[in-house]
Each structure stands twice: as C-alpha cells, then as structure tokens.
Amino acid sequence: MAWGMSFERDAEHDVVTANFTDCILVSDEDVFRWRDEVEAQFAKFNGRVDLLINLNGLIVRHTAGRTFGKVRREVLERNTHRSYRYGGDQMTLMYIGTSGVINGAAVNHFPTREAALAALLAERESLRKRGFTPFLPGVVTSKR
C-alpha cells in the first residue's frame, strides 16, 4: 500500500479521527512531509479540533524519532484542543511516550478507539462541570 492519511469528523461526538496508511517515518524529510500533509488535513476543519489518532499505519523509526517528537508537539499545539491516541506498534509508542516527557506533549494512549473516545468525552465533561468552556462560541471571560 502507498503512504496515505485521512482525517474524518465524527459529528455525533464533535471529534476528528486521524487514520494513517503506511506512513513510515525514517528520516527528517519524512517527518516534514508528514507534518505538511497533516497540516493540510487540519486546514479542512477551520480551527482547532478534538482529535483521536489511530496510530496503526503510522510507523516512527529511530532515525526520525527525535524530530518527530518535536514536530508532533508543534502540530498538535497549533491544531487541537486535546488529542487521544489508540493502536500503534511498540516503537512508535515508545517515541510518543518519550517525546511526551521531553517536549511536554500529551501521550493519552488507549488500546481502542472506544476507550480513547470515552477518555476524551470524560475530560470534556469534567471541564464542563467545573464551568470551563473556553471553546464555545460567544464565551466571554472576565479577564481584561
């Protein structure tokens, strides 16, 4: 199969799911290609989103791990409110975990999409119960 990705909105849960096919990151150039294509996918949504990332099909090799960690944090900061992951091979999970510590990026990994979605929805609900709703249209804060 050829390198590919798709980002689809789940309207019921107001979340975007990222799926990858044979995105094998071996070099810095691969990471930058991944970044550019992911950014193009995010552009379809006109703003930051909640994201579920299916790591099956995204492979990070040791030769691209350091760059991937930094780039993934930057991409997620620009394009997401929160992100949760599921699936993936052990090497990719190691780089995601390591980059989470080194670069301050969220790890939030779960075995299935259902578990990742449940955790994301629970975080939203927890914030809602505390009155934290900064991403809703028309919300005005008291800070000046």
Side-chain angles (χ1 to χ4, degrees), residues 3 22-35 58-65 68:
W3 170 299
D22 291 331
C23 290
I24 302 171
L25 310 182
V26 177
S27 66
D28 289 352
E29 291 77 23
D30 293 333
V31 174
F32 299 139
R33 175 185 176 193
W34 175 86
R35 175 200 60 204
L58 177 63
I59 311 289
V60 180
R61 300 286 189 227
H62 73 280
T63 50
F68 174 74

Side-chain angles (χ1 to χ4, degrees), residues 9 16 39-49 78-79 81:
R9 182 177 295 280
V16 171
E39 293 275 7
Q41 291 287 328
F42 278 126
K44 298 186 303 189
F45 302 106
N46 299 315
R48 292 172 42 168
V49 300
R78 276 192 301 274
N79 296 289
H81 298 300

Side-chain angles (χ1 to χ4, degrees), residues 47-101:
R48 292 172 42 168
V49 300
D50 283 348
L51 182 67
L52 296 176
I53 305 167
N54 179 356
L55 293 173
N56 296 320
L58 177 63
I59 311 289
V60 180
R61 300 286 189 227
H62 73 280
T63 50
R66 182 177 300 255
T67 301
F68 174 74
K70 181 178 181 292
V71 167
R72 103 175 168 93
R73 186 204 73 221
E74 293 167 354
V75 166
L76 293 176
E77 283 178 354
R78 276 192 301 274
N79 296 289
T80 67
H81 298 300
R82 62 189 61 82
S83 61
Y84 285 77
R85 288 141 206 80
Y86 61 97
D89 69 80
Q90 291 302 312
M91 181 71 74
T92 300
L93 294 176
M94 181 189 72
Y95 283 114
I96 287 172
T98 301
S99 71
V101 172

Side-chain angles (χ1 to χ4, degrees), residues 2 7 10 18-19 39 48 51 55 57 86 92 97 114 120 135 142:
F7 284 43
D10 171 349
N19 291 290
E39 293 275 7
R48 292 172 42 168
L51 182 67
L55 293 173
Y86 61 97
T92 300
E114 293 75 20
L120 185 147
F135 309 118
S142 61

